[in-house]
Amino acid sequence: MKRVFPPCTAESVLTLVKTAESSIQGKRAVVIGRSTIVGKPAAHLLLRENATVTICHSKTQNLKEICKEADILVSAIGRPKFINKDFVKEGAIVIDVGTSSVDGKITGDVDYEDVIDTASYVTPVPGGVGALTTTLLLLHVCEAYKSNVY
């Protein structure tokens, strides 16, 4: 039987959430971004862990209010420093998947400095989801090779 690997970036999101929170079950998760590469797979993996998941996007009304209710906030919209403390519930887990180039530097969707005192856990960009995504990709390749899935 062939093994199916989840998308590496979505798996990175779930891994980081599990690092910060022992139980995802029953938590309210908001995923901003509906791409088939990150947003939807991340939402699906969180659903599999029994989180209550809301998917938002650029046309979502009352985005700030919806985000403010999230125990877990995942941002994958590609808007530099769009998410500030006004979007974040006290003690929330914030996973920044966004990457944008601003003045030659990679910047995430989350204004890290503004959110750090509100969130219980926030991933940096660079050095957060991207680094783990690369590691998981290598792991998937090795596992596929070992099990002759390639």
Side-chain angles (χ1 to χ4, degrees):
M1 181 164 82
K2 293 198 177 211
R3 170 137 184 238
V4 176
F5 297 97
C8 295
T9 304
E11 187 177 9
S12 295
V13 168
L14 184 62
T15 301
L16 290 164
V17 170
K18 284 182 171 182
T19 298
E21 180 63 50
S22 59
S23 177
I24 298 170
Q25 182 172 315
K27 301 289 191 219
R28 296 188 70 168
V30 172
V31 178
I32 309 172
R34 58 183 166 181
S35 73
T36 56
I37 296 172
V38 178
K40 288 177 184 175
H44 178 75
L45 291 178
L46 288 164
L47 277 170
R48 275 195 354 199
E49 297 291 326
N50 296 313
T52 301
V53 180
T54 302
I55 300 174
C56 298
H57 47 77
S58 61
K59 307 293 186 223
T60 299
Q61 295 180 6
N62 303 317
L63 180 62
K64 195 177 290 187
E65 290 80 10
I66 294 168
C67 292
K68 193 80 171 178
E69 296 178 6
D71 302 304
I72 301 163
L73 179 60
V74 179
S75 185
I77 55 173
R79 290 186 178 173
K81 296 190 178 187
F82 180 75
I83 303 298
N84 61 35
K85 66 182 175 186
D86 296 334
F87 285 78
V88 179
K89 176 181 177 179
E90 185 73 35
I93 296 166
V94 180
I95 308 295
D96 190 350
V97 186
T99 56
S100 301
S101 180
V102 176
D103 298 326
K105 291 184 171 183
I106 298 296
T107 303
D109 291 346
V110 177
D111 186 340
Y112 185 88
E113 296 302 321
D114 192 53
V115 168
I116 191 70
D117 292 331
T118 305
S120 65
Y121 182 88
V122 59
T123 58
V125 174
V129 173
L132 184 54
T133 297
T134 303
T135 302
L136 288 173
L137 176 60
L138 291 171
L139 179 65
H140 289 181
V141 169
C142 292
E143 288 178 3
Y145 177 77
K146 283 176 17 184
S147 62
N148 294 318
V149 174
Y150 56 94

